[in-house]
Amino acid sequence: MGQDDGSEGGELAALALKILVAGGFGVGKTTLVGAVSEIRPLRTEEQLSEAGELVDDTGGVDQKRTTTVAMDFGRITIRAGLSLYLFGTPGQDRFWFLWDELSQGALGAVVLADTRRLEDCFPAVDYFEHRRIPFVVAVNCFPGARRYGAHEVSQALDLEQGTPVVLCDARDKDSGKEVLIRLVEYAGRVHTARLLDAVEARPGAV
C-alpha cells in the first residue's frame, strides 16, 4: 500500500504497509491482530454452527465458539512514519477464495502455527511460497503444548532456506510486535534482492 493521507494524533503516517496474518483454524489470528492493533480491530466473526462443525476440524480447539468468515483488520505503528495494516485471513478452506483478494499488494505475511496441529498451516505455507510472497512462521506457544525449537519447526514444515521461524504469544502485544518487525525486515531484504536481480538481468546492466 502506498501513502496514507490521514493523520492520527497530529502525526502523518508516511508509509503504510499491508501485512497478512494467516494460518489454520483456531491458531490465534484474530487474537494476534487484536493484541497488537492500536485501533479497535474490525472483526467478521460468527458463531460456529452445527453445520460448520461438520466441516471444521475443531480437534485441539474444542473451546472455540466463533470463526472468522471474511477477515480481521487492525493497524499498528512500528515507528514514526511506518504503519502496518493487518489483514487476518479466514482459516477454513471454504473461505480461501478470499485470500487472492487480500494478498493483492501485500508486503508479506505471518503464518501462525500451533505445534499441536502443525499440519494445519501447510496450506498457508504452500500458498505464499507458490506466489513468492515473503512470510515468517510464528509459532503460537499455547499453554501445555510441547515446545519445539525454530529449527525443528522449519524442518517439519520443509520451509525454503532462510524463511524465519519465531516463537510468540499471540495474546501479548510486545510479542506480536516483534513478529511483525521480523517480517518487515525479512520482506524488505527479499524485495531488495529481487529488485537487484531484476536490474542485473536487464540487457546492458553493469
Side-chain angles (χ1 to χ4, degrees):
M1 300 181 68
Q3 297 286 332
D4 182 354
D5 295 328
S7 61
E8 184 74 14
E11 295 184 2
L12 183 66
L15 183 64
L17 303 175
K18 182 178 183 181
I19 301 295
L20 302 186
V21 180
F25 176 68
V27 78
K29 300 181 295 295
T30 297
T31 300
L32 176 64
V33 173
V36 301
S37 180
E38 61 197 18
I39 61 173
R40 183 177 180 179
L42 169 65
R43 293 173 173 168
T44 56
E45 289 196 313
E46 295 292 342
Q47 292 291 321
L48 286 172
S49 64
E50 291 184 7
E53 290 175 356
L54 297 177
V55 294
D56 295 330
D57 179 10
T58 58
V61 287
D62 300 341
Q63 303 304 311
K64 187 172 176 60
R65 296 291 177 262
T66 60
T67 183
T68 299
V69 295
M71 68 174 185
D72 299 312
F73 174 77
R75 186 189 70 201
I76 179 174
T77 299
I78 296 296
R79 58 173 172 74
L82 176 60
S83 296
L84 304 182
Y85 288 166
L86 308 176
F87 292 81
T89 65
Q92 303 96 311
D93 54 6
R94 67 182 186 277
F95 295 126
W96 284 348
F97 66 92
L98 295 170
W99 286 33
D100 288 338
E101 291 293 333
L102 292 175
S103 65
Q104 292 294 319
L107 174 76
V110 173
V111 176
L112 272 176
D114 178 353
T115 57
R116 301 168 301 177
R117 296 155 51 100
L118 198 57
E119 67 280 359
D120 288 1
C121 70
F122 285 163
V125 168
D126 289 342
Y127 182 90
F128 296 122
E129 283 185 345
H130 290 159
R131 287 161 181 78
R132 303 184 73 232
I133 297 174
F135 68 95
V136 301
V137 173
V139 180
N140 192 7
C141 298
F142 286 90
R146 182 178 174 182
R147 298 296 178 94
Y148 294 90
H151 181 66
E152 293 176 288
V153 173
S154 180
Q155 285 189 317
L157 293 176
D158 193 24
L159 298 177
E160 294 180 355
Q161 186 175 4
T163 302
V165 176
V166 295
L167 307 182
C168 74
D169 182 343
R171 303 167 299 180
D172 183 76
K173 180 176 181 177
D174 290 336
S175 180
K177 185 174 180 179
E178 285 301 315
V179 171
L180 295 171
I181 291 174
R182 185 74 177 275
L183 170 63
V184 171
E185 292 174 344
Y186 173 64
R189 293 195 300 270
V190 171
H191 287 298
T192 298
R194 290 175 182 171
L195 180 60
L196 291 175
D197 288 343
V199 170
E200 293 176 356
R202 291 176 184 170
V206 178

